[in-house]
Amino acid sequence: MTVIGHAEGSATHSVTIDGVAYPAEEIAQGAAFEVYATTPAPGFLPNPRPGARWPYRRFIHATEVASALDGLEDEPLLMPVTRALDWTAIHKLSQTPSAAASVAPIRRTAVVRRGTRMIKFLTGTQLAGYLRGWPISGFCYRAFDVAHLRTPADLAILSGEPAAEVVFAVRWRAVDAYDYDVPLGDSYGGLVSMPPHDRLGPPVIGTGFAPSGRHIVPEFVTADLAELPVPANTSLVAYTADGTEVTLYTYLPEQRAWSRMHGPQWRHLLPDASDQEYFPVAPPLSRYIGKYRDNMFEAIVDPPGEFRVAAKTRAARYPLEALARRVPRATWREARCTVVRQEGDWLRLRLSRPDGDQVARLGAHCVERGVYEAWAPASEVTDAHESDHWYTL
């Protein structure tokens, strides 16, 4: 496929597919295209938008458009294509746990760097949790890799909501590659072998790719499944049935609050039909800290290049000389955990490497795909401490 020139009307490009030129619009910061057609064609579906100029459309990734590869924000997956190994064969291997070693060289080409756009898909209940102050954690993806998945039907493989009319997501920029792991069988084997009655959502394959019948999507988890504080300019978004992306809220770190960005026409998308403009949240236990002139401060991060002292007045937002992520950790009944909440003499613990034995022994519950938590008496917890990881700025 190639992009040639510009098309007339609201479409700004012309994309050539199988020798036929179609009008198209660039979406997702150039990582994908919405392609239009006046007559049915392979891969095209009816355009659900009322009054649409073109009755058929499809979404394609920028990697399917040869001339669109220059200037992309992230690198696509790379693989040696041979007569015996094409994308169909790679997809089959990505869905086969025993083939993890075979696809590892390809999986390693999907990397997270400082400033990489990341995304995690949410249910309506999880969206409400983020508005109440949940940090980022668990399974997530590079936004680049899923830019062509725009409708709830396409996103069902990642959201775990096959019949949803709208899919929600939290989107942010990565602070550092250290904060993310690849869920491989040799490091997260407990998740791969977790019995169906102890898990939520799709299974974890262990190859580093999401389970899918058609797409090849590299997936990540937050390191040790721990919580990440929310960076500045993080967004809560919605994807509607017609492929429209709606920015619902943006995070304001100085105010520790989510600010409404959507208009009243999108109010119906929210699970509780809330029209609240401002959602203040309490600080999580995991947080960013930094040094300025040998003093320690709470930090605000705005990747890729802005890391400063947390202050409401602009004059006091000094640039940091060093930055770290502080995570409370503990051990309970020989299981490594992170602490996500404290209430009185009880701690809410999240398993860092969950497996079936730990889940049964600790009475942990799966709160979302791959994330297992349990309440523990503080008196039984050992090695409770705060762990600081200092980034290279």
Side-chain angles (χ1 to χ4, degrees), residues 51-73:
R53 177 179 177 185
W54 292 279
Y56 299 93
R57 63 89 184 268
R58 65 181 290 189
F59 295 101
I60 62 171
H61 200 272
T63 52
E64 299 182 58
V65 181
S67 60
L69 296 179
D70 294 336
L72 291 177
E73 198 171 75

Side-chain angles (χ1 to χ4, degrees), residues 34 76 88 102 148 154 159 168 175 177 185 196 198 202 243 268-269 305 314 370:
E34 184 171 2
T88 301
S102 300
H148 59 306
D154 285 337
S159 67
F168 303 103
V175 174
D198 281 339
H268 68 281
L269 298 177
R314 185 173 299 275

Side-chain angles (χ1 to χ4, degrees), residues 296-332:
M296 194 78 72
F297 297 93
E298 185 175 350
I300 287 177
V301 303
D302 190 2
E306 189 171 349
F307 309 102
R308 60 184 189 268
V309 172
K312 291 188 177 181
T313 59
R314 185 173 299 275
R317 296 172 189 171
Y318 307 113
L320 292 170
E321 299 161 355
L323 175 71
R325 178 165 62 94
R326 175 168 290 177
V327 180
R329 301 180 183 274
T331 300
W332 185 41

Side-chain angles (χ1 to χ4, degrees), residues 263-342:
Q265 73 273 28
W266 301 113
R267 190 182 308 162
H268 68 281
L269 298 177
L270 299 176
D272 58 358
S274 172
D275 195 30
Q276 191 168 327
E277 294 191 9
Y278 196 71
F279 283 87
V281 298
L285 296 183
S286 296
R287 59 196 186 277
Y288 294 115
I289 59 172
K291 290 181 181 178
Y292 175 74
R293 295 185 177 177
D294 296 327
N295 293 313
M296 194 78 72
F297 297 93
E298 185 175 350
I300 287 177
V301 303
D302 190 2
E306 189 171 349
F307 309 102
R308 60 184 189 268
V309 172
K312 291 188 177 181
T313 59
R314 185 173 299 275
R317 296 172 189 171
Y318 307 113
L320 292 170
E321 299 161 355
L323 175 71
R325 178 165 62 94
R326 175 168 290 177
V327 180
R329 301 180 183 274
T331 300
W332 185 41
R333 298 179 183 175
E334 301 181 353
R336 291 195 303 116
C337 306
T338 58
V339 183
V340 296
R341 199 156 78 244
Q342 181 172 4

